[in-house]
Every structure is written in C-alpha cells, then in structure tokens.
C-alpha cells in the first residue's frame, strides 16, 4: 500500500490478469448500485400495492436513494483521494450491504424510504471510487480502454436491472431486489481486497468538508420535497414554498462554503475548463431524460399494457445486449476520432428512442410498440456513454480523479432525481393517477415527449460545447521531459502542448 499523500505509479494494463481483476471489482462495485437503482423501478407497482402507497410515495422510494447518493458523492470522492480509494470503496460496499438488508426487511413505506436514504450513502462511497480506481491504477495508454470497458459493462448492469428486478418480484417478492445485493457485495470485497492497489491524491490534506456535504444534501432534499409534494399539496402551500426556498438557500450556501473553506470537497477550479463544464452539462441533460423516462416506463408497461413484472423487465433486455456489444467499441472510436461527433449523435438517437417509446402499450404489441424504441435508445446510449465519461474525466488533472469522477456522477444523479420529481408533475401525473390506466397513459406520452426534446438538446449542447483534442506529432527532441497537462493530467511534450490543445 502506498503512503498516504504520495502519488502512485499507474501502470496496470487491461490485458494483464491483475488489470482484469481490478476492472471486475470496479464494474461489480458500481454495478450493484446501478442494478439496484433500475431494478427498483420494476418493483414499484408491487411496493405500491403492498404498502397502499400513492405516486408521491413511490417517487420518494426512488428519490431518497438519489438524494443521499448525489449529496455524498463529492464526499466519497474526497475521502477516497485523501484516505485511500480502495479503503473507502470497501467501506462503501459494506455500508451498502447493511442498508440493502434494512430495505429488504422494511415494514412500512416510510421505513423503506429511510433505508433507501442510507443505501444512497453507501452507493456514494462506491460509485466515485470505482472510476477513480481505474483512472489511478491503469497506465495512461490503457485508461481509455479500461474506462470504455467499465462504461459498457456498467451500462449492462444498469440495463439488466429491470430484468433481474422483474424476475425477483415475480418469483417471490420485491424484497429480493434488495437481498440479492448481499452476495454481490461479498464478491466485491474479496476481489478488491486481494487485487486492487491502494491510491491517494498527491495533494490530499486537511479535513473532509462535511459542512459542504450537509449543505448540498439538505438543499437537494428541500428541492425534492417541494417538487414532489407541490402538485398534491399546492404550489402555494407554506410547506412546499418553504422546502423550495430552503433548498435554494442551502445550495447557495454550499457554493459560498466551497469558496471559503481551506479544503473544499469540490474544487471549483475544475469548472475553469470549458471541456469539463460542457461534458457535465451534457451529462445533466441526457441523464435527466433517461431518469425520468425509466421511472415511468415500468409503470406504463405494468399498469397500462398489463405486463407482468418479469415481462416489463425483459422488455429492456435488448438494451443490455446493445450496451454490451457496442459501448467499449464506442470508447475506442472516440479515442481515435474525438468525442464530439458521438456526444452529438448519441443523445439525438436516444431522443428518437424516447419518441418511439411513446407508443408503448399501443395495439401493436411488444415488437411494434416497444422494441423499436428500446433498440434506438440502446444505440444512442451506447454511442454517448463511454465518450461522455471519458471526456469529463480527461478534462481534469489525474490527481483529482476522485473528485472529477464524483462531480460527473453527482451531475448524473442530481439530474435523475430532479427529473423523477419534476417530469411526472409536468405531464400531469400526480396522486394515485398511476392506478387509472387511461389517465396514466396520457400523462406518460406527454412525459416521454418532454424527455425526447430534452435529450435532443443534449446533442446540440455537445456540438456547441465539446472540442476534440488536437492531434500533434511527437516532438523530435526526445530528451525533453514530459509534463502533465493541467486539464487532462496525461503526459504531453511541453514544446507543443498547452491548455488550449485539450479543450
């Protein structure tokens, strides 16, 4: 184990046995969080029936997890950078297992929501650590390949979640969706403890910014409360207005604190990179569309089209196949031609997929009304996910890999939780409307069209904001030492490289 505060030499290769073990540990670690998030979507109708819950309660089952995940992701990245990425990764795995057990035995809807909030904290320690371990452990020449493989396999985990969740719900109970995490966590802990090298940030020092974490989490809770409860309680309700106001004030306080504390969990200097800002803006738009649509689609298939939980989960299996087949290749292609084209085309293709999925539960059956949208959505996501992730990380210095990873993941999770809170209300889906098939179907179609337009805007933003790296030939003077670029952290010859060539 390397000494804390000292940079580690990143030299693993994907082709080596240890490199593959590291990749497997990180994929499983982020995968259990992704599987859980998507599998729960298929289980929502069964949870609602068991607890007699309305749509707002089902939104909280999703949002409680997303709020704490988004609020503590930055802390997870900072803890890993300072105290050891592998150590924090292992702690997160254990925490996630305990919280999953509490979810599985929850006796009431409020108890389930509380356990989901605890589960989100464990995921916040796992998720940034998985990608930061790749960035810190692999040789610079192999990072793009490792991240591409991680993106593809993690995407598969996300896509297989609905199928697994449907099978578990139909086999016995929605509670199995949470219990299945336990053996997976055991595997993650064993593999990571044996094969993953420890790493820390070279400039890691000072206390962890817990005040910032509390402010951002409280702000997201306030906003989520106001947005979820507003349609039923009334937007003029003192509780709703108070939640929204407190949320805005706490998030503003977070920005102030991060500028003033000696060791902020979020280095606002990262946002001086245009490439980093643009990649995260595209991330927000694409994942907001995806989060809102995937919250409503399982409800539409089960409550309107009459699918069983297993059939609803199986409906998304082609997405799994496409992500498995194409995501790693997409990452390699972006490495050769630059990310701009794929980050533009991918969201537009995904938008077309959302538009096609407005026909779900029509008269044409699965092959005509659902499958075309799933296929087009899968192609769009496979095109954009790997270059999007790689671009966001490549725009930050390698010594801040944990924070850069956490920011990108935080943006995605925040986008999803806000979409789950806002999209149903924007489409007129409130109260117990999900129990009325005709009313829910009308709101579902409106929501998917909103998601399609939003996702297409993500492609436009990528075209306007993302820049391909300038390809330069190696210098003819090999004796000149390489220096790390302050934006991407990769070695570059000083005579021909400056910040502009990486924007």
């Amino acid at each position: 184990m390397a000494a804390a505060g000292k940079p580690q030499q990143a030299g693993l290769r994907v082709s080596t046995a240890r490199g593959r073990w590291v990749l497997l540990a990180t994929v499983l670690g982020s995968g259990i969080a992704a599987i859980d998030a998507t599998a729960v979507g298929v289980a929502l109708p069964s949870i609602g029936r068991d607890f007699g819950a309305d749509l707002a309660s089902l939104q909280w089952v999703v949002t409680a997890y997303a709020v704490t995940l988004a609020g503590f992701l930055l802390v997870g990245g900072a803890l890993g950078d300072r105290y050891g990425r592998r150590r924090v990764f292992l702690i997160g795995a254990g925490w996630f297992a305990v919280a999953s057990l509490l979810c599985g035995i929850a006796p009431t809807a409020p108890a389930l929501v509380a356990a989901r909030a605890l589960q989100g904290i464990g995921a916040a320690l796992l998720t940034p650590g998985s990608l930061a371990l790749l960035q810190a452990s692999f040789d610079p020449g192999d990072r793009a390949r490792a991240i591409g493989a991680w993106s593809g396999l993690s995407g598969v985990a996300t896509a297989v979640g609905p199928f697994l969740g449907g099978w578990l719900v139909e086999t016995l109970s929605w509670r199995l969706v949470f219990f299945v995490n336990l053996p997976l966590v055991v595997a993650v802990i064993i593999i990571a403890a044996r094969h993953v090298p420890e790493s820390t940030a070279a400039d890691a020092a000072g206390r962890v910014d817990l005040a910032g974490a509390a402010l951002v989490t409280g702000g997201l809770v306030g906003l989520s409360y106001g947005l979820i409860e507003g349609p039923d309680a009334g937007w003029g309700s003192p509780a709703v207005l108070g939640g929204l106001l407190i949320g805005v004030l706490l998030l503003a306080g977070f920005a102030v604190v991060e500028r003033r504390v000696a060791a902020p969990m979020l280095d606002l200097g990262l946002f001086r990179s245009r490439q980093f800002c643009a990649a995260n803006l595209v991330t927000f738009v694409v994942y907001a569309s995806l989060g809102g649509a995937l919250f409503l689609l399982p409800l539409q298939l089960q409550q309107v089209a009459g699918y069983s939980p297993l059939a609803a989960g199986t409906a998304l299996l082609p997405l799994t196949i496409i992500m498995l087949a194409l995501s790693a290749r997409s990452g390699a292609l972006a490495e050769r031609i630059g990310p701009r084209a794929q980050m533009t085309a991918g969201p537009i293709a995904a938008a077309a997929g959302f538009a096609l999925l407005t026909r779900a539960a029509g008269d044409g059956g699965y092959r005509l009304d659902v499958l075309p949208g799933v296929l087009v959505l899968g192609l769009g996501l496979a095109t954009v996910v790997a270059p999007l992730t790689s671009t966001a990380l490549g725009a930050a210095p390698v010594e801040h890999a944990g924070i850069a990873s956490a920011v990108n993941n935080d943006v995605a999770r925040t986008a999803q939780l806000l979409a789950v809170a806002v999209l149903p209300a924007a489409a007129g889906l409130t109260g117990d409307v999900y129990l009325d098939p005709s009313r829910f179907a009308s709101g579902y179609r409106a929501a998917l069209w909103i998601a399609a337009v939003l996702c297409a805007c993500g492609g436009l933003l990528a075209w306007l904001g993302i820049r391909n790296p300038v390809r330069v030939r190696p210098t003819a003077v090999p004796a000149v030492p390489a220096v790390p670029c302050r934006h991407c952290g990769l070695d570059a010859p000083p005579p021909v490289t400056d910040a502009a060539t990486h924007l």
Side-chain angles (χ1 to χ4, degrees), residues 200-467:
T200 58
D203 57 354
R207 300 170 61 184
V208 175
D209 182 18
L210 295 179
L215 287 170
V216 71
T217 303
L220 292 174
V221 170
L223 285 181
S224 298
Y225 176 83
L227 293 171
I228 290 175
E229 301 296 334
D232 289 331
W235 294 106
S237 163
V240 170
L241 290 176
L244 293 173
L245 179 61
I246 290 173
V248 171
L249 290 177
L250 290 177
L251 291 177
F254 169 73
V256 172
V257 166
E258 296 310 285
R259 290 183 178 276
R260 295 185 176 181
V261 297
M265 68 176 183
L266 173 59
D267 181 3
L268 296 179
L270 289 173
F271 294 95
R272 287 196 291 266
S273 166
R274 172 182 172 179
Q275 190 86 327
F276 186 79
C277 291
N280 281 288
L281 183 59
V282 176
T283 297
F284 184 91
V285 173
V286 170
Y287 278 86
S289 307
L290 185 63
L294 291 186
F295 171 73
L296 295 173
L297 180 58
L299 291 170
Q300 170 77 357
L301 293 177
Q302 293 181 66
Q303 301 297 105
V304 179
Y307 283 40
S308 68
L310 179 58
T314 306
L316 295 177
L317 267 183
L319 189 62
T320 304
I321 298 170
I322 293 172
M323 294 292 288
L324 178 61
L326 299 181
S327 287
R329 292 179 174 85
S330 177
L333 178 62
E335 181 71 12
R336 292 197 302 270
I337 69 172
R340 189 185 186 201
Q342 288 165 252
M343 289 178 63
T344 300
I348 293 174
F354 290 135
L356 289 171
L357 284 171
T358 59
R359 303 172 57 195
D363 297 331
Y366 175 74
R367 287 189 299 171
L368 295 180
D369 291 337
V370 180
L371 182 59
V374 171
L375 292 176
V376 175
L377 176 61
L379 289 172
L381 293 178
T383 300
V384 71
V385 167
L388 182 60
T389 304
S390 183
T391 300
L393 264 71
V398 69
E399 63 268 20
H400 293 302
I403 290 298
S405 170
V407 168
N408 189 244
N409 276 281
D410 214 0
V411 168
R413 306 307 175 184
T414 301
Q416 290 176 314
L417 77 88
L418 292 178
V420 169
V422 172
L423 191 59
L429 297 172
T430 60
D432 59 357
V433 69
Y434 79 99
L435 299 175
D436 184 334
S438 61
R439 292 172 61 197
F440 186 84
S442 177
Y444 165 82
R445 287 191 292 271
L448 266 288
W449 277 115
I450 295 172
V453 172
L454 184 62
C455 198
C457 289
L460 178 61
L461 288 171
W463 179 256
L464 295 175
I466 297 297
R467 294 292 179 265

Side-chain angles (χ1 to χ4, degrees), residues 123-169:
L125 300 177
L126 271 175
T127 305
S130 64
L131 200 50
L133 284 170
L134 290 183
Q135 188 81 347
S137 301
F138 281 90
D139 183 91
D142 242 23
R143 281 180 192 146
R145 184 182 174 192
I147 291 173
W150 176 90
S151 299
L153 293 172
S154 297
V156 169
T158 302
V160 81
F163 169 76
L164 180 62
W167 180 75
L168 293 172
V169 170

Side-chain angles (χ1 to χ4, degrees), residues 6 21 30 36 39 45 67 80 83 98 101 145 147 153 184 209 218 230 242 296 318 322 360 381 402 404 433 480:
K6 294 182 180 180
W21 279 117
S30 60
D36 192 84
V67 163
Y83 301 117
V98 173
L101 178 62
R145 184 182 174 192
I147 291 173
L153 293 172
L184 294 176
D209 182 18
L296 295 173
I322 293 172
L381 293 178
V433 69
V480 179

